[in-house]
Amino acid sequence: RKEVEQDPGPFNVPEGATVAFNCTYSNSASQSFFWYRQDCRKEPKLLMSVYSSGNEDGRFTAQLNRASQYISLLIRDSKLSDSATYLCVVIYTGGFKTIFGAGTRLFVKA
Amino acid sequence: DTGVSQDPRHKITKRGQNVTFRCDPISEHNRLYWYRQTLGQGPEFLTYFQNEAQLEKSRLLSDRFSAERPKGSFSTLEIQRTEQGDSAMYLCASTTGQGTDTQYFGPGTRLTVL
């Protein structure tokens, strides 16, 4: 079993749609959680950190459930520019080993 | 440009050759990471440095791989006796080292082993 698993995708949605991505992690010692975005042939860039209380940044909402070892990302009112691969990221407690999920590809269509 | 830079951007080599990649982190970032990414996968952690100290290495980092950060600034990743399976994008990232803060990635070095 992979340490961080994501919905395989791809997700094909029309503009304006709401889409949700899920991610599970296996190591309960995980400390910090993030969502990164990666455009085709580009480097990953931080989208947002994920906190137990949940956090929102404009159209993006991230949630963390430590009991279930589950992270989610919700994108509302999808834009064409949201088309990218979304990477779930976990950092282990006590060190800084960083584990990326395989990513979920999103295509937003006009 | 004050972001993370990597050199070269592309490298084509023949199997069995040695290659070396360089990463220049954001100035004053004392933590530096190396990752490998293949098509359809997320970046795989290889190793990280806190200043010049290499603090953790993945088991993916076989004996043919070595990384250094001699003065706590730029870092190099060397692959000896390259194999076709080493073909991938090699990414470098840096952070300030304060807690688990944002990792800023460089554009990567794409390695093709023929």
Side-chain angles (χ1 to χ4, degrees):
Chain A
R1 182 185 174 189
K2 290 185 178 180
E3 293 176 275
V4 177
E5 295 203 64
Q6 297 187 236
D7 288 343
F11 285 61
N12 292 284
V13 303
E15 274 186 296
T18 295
V19 61
F21 302 142
N22 301 316
C23 172
T24 57
Y25 59 95
S26 60
N27 191 326
S28 60
S30 301
Q31 170 176 307
S32 302
F33 309 89
F34 305 88
W35 284 100
Y36 274 70
R37 170 190 168 132
Q38 187 171 27
D39 294 298
C40 189
R41 296 188 174 276
K42 297 286 189 179
E43 69 273 21
K45 293 184 178 179
L46 179 69
L47 178 66
M48 58 197 305
S49 303
V50 188
Y51 305 114
S52 298
S53 55
N55 49 303
E56 186 173 312
D57 183 2
R59 298 181 293 108
F60 299 84
T61 301
Q63 294 277 353
L64 166 63
N65 184 320
R66 285 188 182 270
S68 302
Q69 296 181 196
Y70 171 93
I71 305 161
S72 65
L73 177 68
L74 183 76
I75 305 175
R76 292 180 298 277
D77 188 22
S78 298
K79 311 292 185 190
L80 293 174
S81 58
D82 294 333
S83 297
T85 296
Y86 291 83
L87 298 160
C88 175
V89 181
V90 172
I91 298 181
Y92 289 162
T93 302
F96 294 94
K97 183 178 178 180
T98 305
I99 306 298
F100 281 76
T104 301
R105 192 79 184 270
L106 172 66
F107 294 97
V108 181
K109 304 169 294 183
Chain B
D1 187 352
T2 57
V4 178
S5 61
Q6 292 187 244
D7 183 70
R9 295 291 303 277
H10 303 274
K11 179 69 176 179
I12 299 174
T13 191
K14 293 182 179 179
R15 189 175 54 184
Q17 298 295 305
N18 299 343
V19 294
T20 300
F21 309 141
R22 176 178 170 127
C23 171
D24 286 87
I26 293 172
S27 179
E28 298 180 356
H29 276 194
N30 57 27
R31 190 170 296 147
L32 185 149
Y33 296 77
W34 283 100
Y35 296 89
R36 180 175 68 186
Q37 187 173 26
T38 54
L39 193 63
Q41 299 298 314
E44 294 176 287
F45 172 85
L46 293 178
T47 188
Y48 91 92
F49 292 84
Q50 178 83 23
N51 298 313
E52 66 275 10
Q54 187 174 19
L55 297 185
E56 193 156 357
K57 290 172 58 173
S58 166
R59 54 186 160 79
L60 292 174
L61 215 65
S62 74
D63 291 344
R64 297 185 298 106
F65 288 70
S66 62
E68 294 183 340
R69 194 182 182 198
K71 297 182 180 179
S73 56
F74 73 91
S75 177
T76 58
L77 177 68
E78 181 183 16
I79 309 174
Q80 295 182 328
R81 305 182 302 283
T82 53
E83 302 173 355
Q84 288 184 325
D86 297 332
S87 295
M89 176 72 83
Y90 290 84
L91 292 161
C92 173
S94 70
T95 79
T96 61
Q98 296 175 4
T100 51
D101 57 352
T102 303
Q103 293 186 30
Y104 294 88
F105 282 81
T109 294
R110 183 170 295 281
L111 173 66
T112 301
V113 182
L114 303 175

